[in-house]
Amino acid sequence: MELLNWDGTFSFFLIIAIHYIIHTVNGDDSLKVSLISTGSALPEKVLDNTEISTMVETSDQWITERTGIKTRRVVTTETTISLAVEASKRAMEKAGVAPSDIDLVICATITPDTVVPSAACRIRHELGIDKGAAFDVNAACSGFIYSVSLARSLMLTEDYNTALIVGSEVLSRIVDWTDRTTCILFGDGAGAAILKKDSDLGGEILATHIESFNDIQNALVCDNYPIETPFYTGYKPEKTKLVMDGQQVFRFAVNAIVDSITAVLKKAGKTADEIKYIVPHQANVRIIDSAANKLKIDKSRFFVNLHKVGNTSSASIPIALDELFDSEKPQKGDLVLIVGFGGGLTAGSALIRY
Ligand code: UT7
Protein backbone atom coordinates (compact mmCIF):
# COMPACT_ATOMS: atom_id res chain seq x y z
CA MET A 1 0.00 0.00 0.00
CA GLU A 2 1.24 3.46 -0.81
CA LEU A 3 1.68 5.21 2.56
CA LEU A 4 1.94 8.72 1.20
CA ASN A 5 0.73 9.85 -2.15
CA TRP A 6 2.13 12.98 -3.82
CA ASP A 7 -0.42 15.24 -2.06
CA GLY A 8 0.28 13.67 1.33
CA THR A 9 4.04 14.01 0.93
CA PHE A 10 3.64 17.58 -0.21
CA SER A 11 1.38 18.46 2.77
CA PHE A 12 3.80 16.78 5.17
CA PHE A 13 6.76 18.83 3.93
CA LEU A 14 4.64 21.98 3.83
CA ILE A 15 3.81 21.56 7.56
CA ILE A 16 7.50 20.97 8.39
CA ALA A 17 8.48 24.07 6.38
CA ILE A 18 5.88 26.28 8.13
CA HIS A 19 7.00 24.96 11.52
CA TYR A 20 10.65 25.71 10.64
CA ILE A 21 9.84 29.25 9.45
CA ILE A 22 7.82 30.04 12.61
CA HIS A 23 10.62 28.84 14.85
CA THR A 24 13.32 30.63 12.87
CA VAL A 25 11.43 33.93 13.04
CA ASN A 26 10.26 33.66 16.68
CA GLY A 27 13.17 31.75 18.19
CA ASP A 28 12.90 28.12 19.32
CA ASP A 29 10.68 28.38 22.36
CA SER A 30 10.60 24.65 22.98
CA LEU A 31 14.01 24.70 24.61
CA LYS A 32 13.63 26.52 27.86
CA VAL A 33 14.31 25.91 31.53
CA SER A 34 12.19 27.62 34.19
CA LEU A 35 12.57 28.23 37.89
CA ILE A 36 9.04 27.31 38.93
CA SER A 37 9.14 27.31 42.75
CA THR A 38 11.22 28.05 45.82
CA GLY A 39 11.35 26.90 49.43
CA SER A 40 13.43 27.76 52.47
CA ALA A 41 14.24 26.57 55.99
CA LEU A 42 15.94 28.33 58.89
CA PRO A 43 17.25 26.96 62.18
CA GLU A 44 15.16 27.74 65.23
CA LYS A 45 17.72 29.68 67.24
CA VAL A 46 17.68 33.43 66.62
CA LEU A 47 20.96 35.17 67.45
CA ASP A 48 20.53 38.94 67.71
CA ASN A 49 23.16 41.67 67.83
CA THR A 50 22.70 42.13 71.56
CA GLU A 51 23.59 38.49 72.23
CA ILE A 52 26.66 38.75 69.94
CA SER A 53 27.71 41.83 71.96
CA THR A 54 28.07 39.51 74.96
CA MET A 55 30.48 37.30 72.99
CA VAL A 56 32.78 39.87 71.28
CA GLU A 57 33.44 43.59 71.67
CA THR A 58 30.77 45.06 69.43
CA SER A 59 27.34 46.68 69.64
CA ASP A 60 23.92 46.51 68.00
CA GLN A 61 24.51 50.07 66.75
CA TRP A 62 27.85 49.25 65.06
CA ILE A 63 26.54 46.08 63.39
CA THR A 64 23.32 47.75 62.23
CA GLU A 65 25.06 50.85 60.84
CA ARG A 66 27.92 48.98 59.11
CA THR A 67 25.98 45.97 57.79
CA GLY A 68 22.22 46.36 58.18
CA ILE A 69 22.05 43.02 60.01
CA LYS A 70 19.92 42.80 63.16
CA THR A 71 19.49 39.04 63.66
CA ARG A 72 20.63 35.80 62.10
CA ARG A 73 19.79 32.13 62.71
CA VAL A 74 22.32 29.58 63.95
CA VAL A 75 22.04 25.81 64.13
CA THR A 76 21.89 23.82 67.34
CA THR A 77 20.76 20.34 66.30
CA GLU A 78 20.01 21.18 62.65
CA THR A 79 22.50 20.21 59.92
CA THR A 80 23.22 21.18 56.33
CA ILE A 81 21.24 18.12 55.23
CA SER A 82 18.25 18.59 57.57
CA LEU A 83 17.84 22.24 56.54
CA ALA A 84 18.28 21.36 52.85
CA VAL A 85 15.69 18.57 53.03
CA GLU A 86 13.18 20.89 54.72
CA ALA A 87 13.69 23.66 52.14
CA SER A 88 13.50 21.13 49.28
CA LYS A 89 10.23 19.64 50.53
CA ARG A 90 8.66 23.10 50.59
CA ALA A 91 9.85 23.91 47.04
CA MET A 92 8.63 20.51 45.78
CA GLU A 93 5.24 20.97 47.42
CA LYS A 94 4.76 24.43 45.90
CA ALA A 95 5.68 23.09 42.45
CA GLY A 96 3.54 19.97 42.82
CA VAL A 97 6.62 17.90 42.07
CA ALA A 98 7.08 14.37 43.49
CA PRO A 99 10.48 12.77 44.28
CA SER A 100 9.92 10.46 41.32
CA ASP A 101 9.81 13.50 38.97
CA ILE A 102 13.28 14.77 39.93
CA ASP A 103 16.24 13.62 37.89
CA LEU A 104 18.93 16.12 38.88
CA VAL A 105 19.97 17.33 42.35
CA ILE A 106 22.65 19.98 42.87
CA CYS A 107 23.58 21.26 46.31
CA ALA A 108 25.60 24.46 46.64
CA THR A 109 27.45 24.48 49.94
CA ILE A 110 30.79 25.27 51.54
CA THR A 111 29.73 23.49 54.74
CA PRO A 112 28.70 19.96 53.79
CA ASP A 113 28.11 17.62 56.75
CA THR A 114 30.34 14.98 55.16
CA VAL A 115 33.05 15.01 52.52
CA VAL A 116 31.67 11.78 51.04
CA PRO A 117 28.88 11.26 50.22
CA SER A 118 28.14 14.70 48.83
CA ALA A 119 25.34 16.74 50.41
CA ALA A 120 23.35 16.37 47.17
CA CYS A 121 23.56 12.56 47.30
CA ARG A 122 22.38 12.55 50.92
CA ILE A 123 19.52 15.00 50.22
CA ARG A 124 18.45 12.84 47.29
CA HIS A 125 18.48 9.73 49.47
CA GLU A 126 16.46 11.40 52.27
CA LEU A 127 13.86 12.69 49.82
CA GLY A 128 13.47 9.31 48.10
CA ILE A 129 14.74 10.51 44.73
CA ASP A 130 16.17 7.56 42.86
CA LYS A 131 17.09 8.56 39.33
CA GLY A 132 19.45 10.90 37.51
CA ALA A 133 22.52 12.67 38.90
CA ALA A 134 23.42 14.40 42.18
CA PHE A 135 26.50 16.42 43.09
CA ASP A 136 27.73 19.43 45.10
CA VAL A 137 29.01 22.80 43.91
CA ASN A 138 31.44 24.95 45.88
CA ALA A 139 31.36 28.49 44.57
CA ALA A 140 30.88 30.03 48.03
CA CYS A 141 28.16 32.69 48.09
CA SER A 142 27.71 32.47 44.29
CA GLY A 143 27.02 28.73 44.62
CA PHE A 144 23.26 28.88 44.07
CA ILE A 145 23.66 30.89 40.85
CA TYR A 146 26.47 28.61 39.62
CA SER A 147 24.16 25.64 40.28
CA VAL A 148 21.22 27.22 38.45
CA SER A 149 23.50 27.98 35.49
CA LEU A 150 24.94 24.45 35.49
CA ALA A 151 21.53 22.78 35.85
CA ARG A 152 20.09 24.87 33.01
CA SER A 153 22.98 23.91 30.71
CA LEU A 154 22.66 20.22 31.62
CA MET A 155 18.91 20.29 31.11
CA LEU A 156 19.25 21.95 27.70
CA THR A 157 21.91 19.53 26.48
CA GLU A 158 21.15 16.26 28.31
CA ASP A 159 18.08 14.29 29.21
CA TYR A 160 17.24 15.94 32.56
CA ASN A 161 13.76 17.38 32.98
CA THR A 162 13.25 18.38 36.61
CA ALA A 163 16.04 19.63 38.84
CA LEU A 164 16.21 20.36 42.55
CA ILE A 165 18.75 23.08 43.35
CA VAL A 166 19.57 23.70 47.00
CA GLY A 167 21.85 26.15 48.77
CA SER A 168 22.42 25.02 52.35
CA GLU A 169 24.92 26.27 54.92
CA VAL A 170 25.86 25.89 58.57
CA LEU A 171 28.41 28.70 58.54
CA SER A 172 28.26 29.00 62.34
CA ARG A 173 30.48 25.88 62.37
CA ILE A 174 33.32 27.53 60.44
CA VAL A 175 32.96 31.06 61.82
CA ASP A 176 35.50 32.21 64.41
CA TRP A 177 33.22 33.28 67.27
CA THR A 178 36.06 35.32 68.81
CA ASP A 179 36.59 37.44 65.66
CA ARG A 180 34.23 40.42 65.66
CA THR A 181 35.07 41.32 62.06
CA THR A 182 33.46 38.13 60.72
CA CYS A 183 31.17 36.51 63.31
CA ILE A 184 28.66 39.37 63.17
CA LEU A 185 27.98 38.77 59.47
CA PHE A 186 27.05 35.16 58.97
CA GLY A 187 24.00 32.99 59.55
CA ASP A 188 22.75 29.47 58.80
CA GLY A 189 19.88 28.33 56.58
CA ALA A 190 18.81 26.67 53.35
CA GLY A 191 16.94 27.70 50.21
CA ALA A 192 15.79 25.50 47.35
CA ALA A 193 14.32 25.84 43.87
CA ILE A 194 12.71 23.52 41.35
CA LEU A 195 13.82 23.94 37.74
CA LYS A 196 11.71 22.44 34.98
CA LYS A 197 12.28 21.98 31.28
CA ASP A 198 9.57 23.22 28.89
CA SER A 199 7.24 24.45 31.62
CA ASP A 200 4.43 26.90 30.92
CA LEU A 201 4.30 28.06 34.54
CA GLY A 202 6.57 31.08 33.98
CA GLY A 203 10.02 31.62 35.46
CA GLU A 204 12.00 31.04 32.26
CA ILE A 205 15.71 31.52 32.86
CA LEU A 206 16.58 33.83 29.97
CA ALA A 207 20.34 34.03 30.61
CA THR A 208 22.99 33.28 33.20
CA HIS A 209 26.48 34.64 33.69
CA ILE A 210 29.11 33.06 35.95
CA GLU A 211 32.71 34.14 36.47
CA SER A 212 35.70 33.52 38.76
CA PHE A 213 38.62 35.75 39.72
CA ASN A 214 41.87 34.77 41.40
CA ASP A 215 41.87 35.68 45.09
CA ILE A 216 45.51 36.75 44.99
CA GLN A 217 45.45 38.36 48.42
CA ASN A 218 43.48 35.62 50.18
CA ALA A 219 40.58 37.94 50.94
CA LEU A 220 38.26 35.11 51.99
CA VAL A 221 39.77 31.85 53.20
CA CYS A 222 38.90 28.83 55.31
CA ASP A 223 41.66 26.20 55.20
CA ASN A 224 41.20 22.49 55.02
CA TYR A 225 40.88 20.28 58.09
CA PRO A 226 44.24 19.10 59.56
CA ILE A 227 45.70 16.34 57.39
CA GLU A 228 48.40 13.99 58.56
CA THR A 229 49.36 10.90 56.64
CA PRO A 230 52.04 8.27 57.27
CA PHE A 231 53.98 10.00 54.46
CA TYR A 232 53.69 13.68 55.30
CA THR A 233 52.98 15.52 58.53
CA GLY A 234 54.05 18.96 57.35
CA TYR A 235 50.65 20.25 56.29
CA LYS A 236 49.60 22.67 58.99
CA PRO A 237 46.44 24.56 58.06
CA GLU A 238 46.61 28.13 59.35
CA LYS A 239 43.02 29.21 58.94
CA THR A 240 40.68 26.45 60.06
CA LYS A 241 38.01 29.07 60.67
CA LEU A 242 36.79 31.66 58.20
CA VAL A 243 39.22 34.56 57.75
CA MET A 244 38.27 37.61 55.70
CA ASP A 245 39.64 40.95 54.63
CA GLY A 246 36.30 42.76 54.83
CA GLN A 247 37.29 45.89 52.94
CA GLN A 248 38.78 43.95 50.01
CA VAL A 249 35.71 41.76 49.75
CA PHE A 250 33.51 44.87 49.97
CA ARG A 251 35.27 46.53 47.02
CA PHE A 252 35.19 43.32 44.97
CA ALA A 253 31.51 42.78 45.80
CA VAL A 254 30.30 46.18 44.58
CA ASN A 255 32.14 45.84 41.25
CA ALA A 256 31.08 42.20 40.88
CA ILE A 257 27.39 43.05 41.29
CA VAL A 258 27.61 45.93 38.80
CA ASP A 259 29.58 43.94 36.20
CA SER A 260 27.52 40.76 36.56
CA ILE A 261 24.19 42.56 36.23
CA THR A 262 25.49 44.43 33.19
CA ALA A 263 26.75 41.19 31.60
CA VAL A 264 23.59 39.14 32.08
CA LEU A 265 21.36 41.98 30.82
CA LYS A 266 23.52 42.24 27.71
CA LYS A 267 23.28 38.47 27.12
CA ALA A 268 19.49 38.58 27.41
CA GLY A 269 19.14 41.76 25.34
CA LYS A 270 17.37 43.56 28.20
CA THR A 271 17.92 46.85 30.04
CA ALA A 272 18.02 47.64 33.75
CA ASP A 273 14.78 49.65 33.44
CA GLU A 274 12.92 46.47 32.49
CA ILE A 275 13.80 44.59 35.71
CA LYS A 276 11.04 44.38 38.30
CA TYR A 277 13.10 42.97 41.20
CA ILE A 278 16.79 42.39 41.83
CA VAL A 279 17.53 39.77 44.46
CA PRO A 280 21.20 40.18 45.42
CA HIS A 281 23.36 38.05 47.69
CA GLN A 282 22.55 39.27 51.20
CA ALA A 283 25.94 40.25 52.63
CA ASN A 284 25.85 43.89 53.65
CA VAL A 285 23.21 46.52 52.88
CA ARG A 286 25.98 49.05 52.17
CA ILE A 287 27.29 46.79 49.37
CA ILE A 288 23.80 46.64 47.84
CA ASP A 289 23.33 50.43 48.17
CA SER A 290 26.71 51.17 46.55
CA ALA A 291 25.98 48.84 43.62
CA ALA A 292 22.50 50.37 43.19
CA ASN A 293 24.05 53.87 43.09
CA LYS A 294 26.66 52.85 40.52
CA LEU A 295 24.03 51.20 38.34
CA LYS A 296 21.63 54.14 38.83
CA ILE A 297 18.88 51.69 39.79
CA ASP A 298 16.46 52.71 42.53
CA LYS A 299 17.29 50.87 45.78
CA SER A 300 13.63 49.95 46.25
CA ARG A 301 13.97 47.43 43.41
CA PHE A 302 16.62 45.48 45.36
CA PHE A 303 15.04 42.92 47.68
CA VAL A 304 16.72 42.89 51.09
CA ASN A 305 16.13 40.49 54.00
CA LEU A 306 19.65 40.42 55.47
CA HIS A 307 18.49 42.31 58.56
CA LYS A 308 16.68 39.11 59.59
CA VAL A 309 19.00 36.33 58.39
CA GLY A 310 22.49 37.78 57.89
CA ASN A 311 24.77 36.34 55.22
CA THR A 312 23.92 32.67 54.63
CA SER A 313 26.36 32.25 51.70
CA SER A 314 24.96 29.94 49.00
CA ALA A 315 21.57 29.82 50.77
CA SER A 316 21.12 33.58 50.80
CA ILE A 317 19.65 34.12 47.32
CA PRO A 318 17.12 31.24 47.38
CA ILE A 319 16.02 32.21 50.92
CA ALA A 320 15.50 35.80 49.75
CA LEU A 321 13.72 34.69 46.55
CA ASP A 322 11.41 32.50 48.61
CA GLU A 323 10.54 35.37 50.94
CA LEU A 324 9.95 37.70 48.00
CA PHE A 325 7.67 35.24 46.17
CA ASP A 326 5.74 34.47 49.36
CA SER A 327 4.97 38.15 49.90
CA GLU A 328 4.58 39.23 46.28
CA LYS A 329 3.68 36.84 43.49
CA PRO A 330 5.50 37.86 40.30
CA GLN A 331 3.11 38.87 37.51
CA LYS A 332 3.31 37.47 34.00
CA GLY A 333 6.21 39.12 32.18
CA ASP A 334 7.99 40.39 35.32
CA LEU A 335 11.79 40.17 35.06
CA VAL A 336 13.61 39.05 38.21
CA LEU A 337 17.39 39.25 38.36
CA ILE A 338 19.47 37.30 40.89
CA VAL A 339 23.08 38.27 41.46
CA GLY A 340 25.80 37.04 43.81
CA PHE A 341 29.49 37.19 44.68
CA GLY A 342 31.69 35.33 47.08
CA GLY A 343 34.86 33.51 48.03
CA GLY A 344 36.99 32.08 45.28
CA LEU A 345 36.52 34.77 44.18
CA THR A 346 33.31 34.11 42.30
CA ALA A 347 30.39 36.07 40.88
CA GLY A 348 27.24 35.25 38.96
CA SER A 349 23.82 36.37 37.87
CA ALA A 350 20.69 35.02 36.22
CA LEU A 351 17.73 36.73 34.59
CA ILE A 352 14.31 35.11 35.00
CA ARG A 353 11.05 36.02 33.22
CA TYR A 354 7.67 35.27 34.84
O1 UT7 B 1 29.67 36.77 51.16
C1 UT7 B 1 30.79 37.58 51.09
C2 UT7 B 1 31.28 37.73 52.48
N1 UT7 B 1 31.80 38.95 52.94
C3 UT7 B 1 31.34 40.21 52.80
O2 UT7 B 1 30.47 40.52 52.07
C4 UT7 B 1 32.01 41.24 53.66
C5 UT7 B 1 32.25 42.56 52.98
N2 UT7 B 1 32.77 43.53 53.93
C6 UT7 B 1 31.98 44.12 54.87
O3 UT7 B 1 30.80 43.86 54.96
C7 UT7 B 1 32.63 45.15 55.77
O4 UT7 B 1 33.94 45.39 55.35
C8 UT7 B 1 32.64 44.74 57.29
C9 UT7 B 1 31.22 44.77 57.82
C10 UT7 B 1 33.24 43.36 57.46
C11 UT7 B 1 33.47 45.73 58.07
O5 UT7 B 1 32.94 47.04 57.90
P1 UT7 B 1 33.92 48.24 57.53
O6 UT7 B 1 33.07 49.45 57.45
O7 UT7 B 1 34.68 47.84 56.30
O8 UT7 B 1 34.82 48.32 58.81
P2 UT7 B 1 36.42 48.32 58.89
O9 UT7 B 1 36.95 46.96 58.63
O10 UT7 B 1 36.94 49.45 58.09
O11 UT7 B 1 36.65 48.66 60.42
C12 UT7 B 1 36.33 49.94 60.96
C13 UT7 B 1 36.56 49.91 62.44
C14 UT7 B 1 37.89 49.29 62.87
O12 UT7 B 1 38.35 49.98 63.99
P3 UT7 B 1 39.49 51.13 63.85
O13 UT7 B 1 40.68 50.45 63.26
O14 UT7 B 1 38.90 52.18 62.97
O15 UT7 B 1 39.68 51.58 65.26
C15 UT7 B 1 37.54 47.89 63.26
O16 UT7 B 1 38.43 47.34 64.20
O17 UT7 B 1 35.57 49.09 63.06
C16 UT7 B 1 36.18 48.11 63.88
N3 UT7 B 1 35.34 46.93 63.87
C17 UT7 B 1 34.31 46.77 64.73
N4 UT7 B 1 33.85 47.54 65.74
C18 UT7 B 1 32.78 47.10 66.42
C19 UT7 B 1 35.38 45.87 63.04
N5 UT7 B 1 34.40 45.01 63.34
C20 UT7 B 1 33.73 45.55 64.40
C21 UT7 B 1 32.62 45.13 65.15
N6 UT7 B 1 32.18 45.93 66.14
N7 UT7 B 1 31.96 43.96 64.89
Side-chain angles (χ1 to χ4, degrees):
M1 190 177 70
E2 199 180 356
L3 283 178
L4 274 177
N5 58 22
W6 189 88
D7 284 348
T9 310
F10 179 75
S11 308
F12 176 74
F13 282 115
L14 189 66
I15 289 165
I16 296 278
I18 291 169
H19 189 76
Y20 176 78
I21 290 164
I22 288 171
H23 276 251
T24 310
V25 172
N26 291 340
D28 190 344
D29 62 357
S30 66
L31 280 181
K32 66 179 180 190
V33 171
S34 305
L35 192 157
I36 62 167
S37 77
T38 54
S40 60
L42 297 171
E44 259 179 46
K45 180 167 171 51
V46 178
L47 178 63
D48 64 17
N49 292 346
T50 310
E51 190 175 346
I52 293 200
S53 309
T54 66
M55 301 163 67
V56 288
E57 202 181 327
T58 189
S59 64
D60 175 42
Q61 189 186 349
W62 193 95
I63 302 171
T64 307
E65 282 175 10
R66 297 291 181 124
T67 71
I69 299 166
K70 295 294 276 184
T71 64
R72 70 288 290 145
R73 302 292 188 98
V74 288
V75 290
T76 52
T77 55
E78 300 93 341
T79 63
T80 294
I81 302 301
S82 71
L83 291 169
V85 166
E86 204 52 46
S88 302
K89 282 182 180 165
R90 289 178 189 155
M92 288 162 67
E93 199 182 309
K94 284 188 207 167
V97 158
S100 56
D101 297 322
I102 296 172
D103 48 18
L104 180 62
V105 180
I106 304 180
C107 181
T109 185
I110 55 168
T111 50
D113 297 331
T114 51
V115 176
V116 176
S118 67
C121 282
R122 292 187 59 200
I123 293 162
R124 176 189 197 268
H125 178 74
E126 295 231 354
L127 290 170
I129 298 165
D130 62 1
K131 65 178 182 211
F135 58 91
D136 288 358
V137 163
N138 177 342
C141 309
S142 313
F144 179 77
I145 291 178
Y146 269 59
S147 302
V148 165
S149 180
L150 199 51
R152 175 173 175 261
S153 300
L154 282 170
M155 292 167 87
L156 291 176
T157 54
E158 308 279 339
D159 201 17
Y160 301 108
N161 291 301
T162 309
L164 167 66
I165 311 298
V166 200
S168 188
E169 303 285 9
V170 290
L171 298 171
S172 59
R173 294 191 178 149
I174 61 166
V175 158
D176 179 353
W177 288 101
T178 65
D179 175 9
R180 68 176 183 173
T181 66
T182 52
C183 75
I184 53 150
L185 293 171
F186 297 100
D188 301 334
I194 298 292
L195 267 54
K196 201 150 182 56
K197 189 146 82 182
D198 295 337
S199 163
D200 293 324
L201 296 174
E204 182 184 357
I205 301 162
L206 298 180
T208 66
H209 180 78
I210 55 173
E211 254 186 305
S212 302
F213 309 87
N214 298 333
D215 184 6
I216 302 162
Q217 288 165 307
N218 293 329
L220 195 44
V221 177
C222 183
D223 274 354
N224 217 331
Y225 42 85
I227 300 171
E228 285 198 358
T229 72
F231 324 106
Y232 187 66
T233 53
Y235 177 65
K236 300 267 185 280
E238 287 166 19
K239 298 164 183 169
T240 51
K241 297 283 182 185
L242 201 68
V243 178
M244 181 183 71
D245 181 331
Q247 290 191 6
Q248 263 198 55
V249 177
F250 194 109
R251 278 192 294 275
F252 164 72
V254 175
N255 292 329
I257 293 178
V258 172
D259 294 347
S260 201
I261 288 181
T262 308
V264 82
L265 284 175
K266 190 171 174 210
K267 269 189 190 173
K270 303 285 179 192
T271 63
D273 294 342
E274 296 174 80
I275 310 169
K276 176 89 187 225
Y277 304 108
I278 297 172
V279 180
H281 170 45
Q282 307 286 313
N284 185 328
V285 76
R286 286 166 48 224
I287 292 176
I288 297 170
D289 288 351
S290 300
N293 285 339
K294 279 197 169 194
L295 286 159
K296 297 187 173 53
I297 299 176
D298 198 285
K299 284 174 202 162
S300 63
R301 281 157 69 202
F302 284 78
F303 183 78
V304 175
N305 72 345
L306 57 83
H307 51 290
K308 291 185 278 189
V309 291
N311 177 348
T312 56
S313 190
S314 63
S316 111
I317 290 171
I319 291 173
L321 260 187
D322 193 45
E323 192 180 324
L324 171 67
F325 292 162
D326 270 355
S327 61
E328 227 166 307
K329 287 265 165 295
Q331 301 301 306
K332 193 172 166 49
D334 280 353
L335 289 183
V336 178
L337 194 153
I338 55 178
V339 60
F341 57 87
L345 301 162
T346 58
S349 52
L351 188 65
I352 306 167
R353 179 174 56 202
Y354 283 86

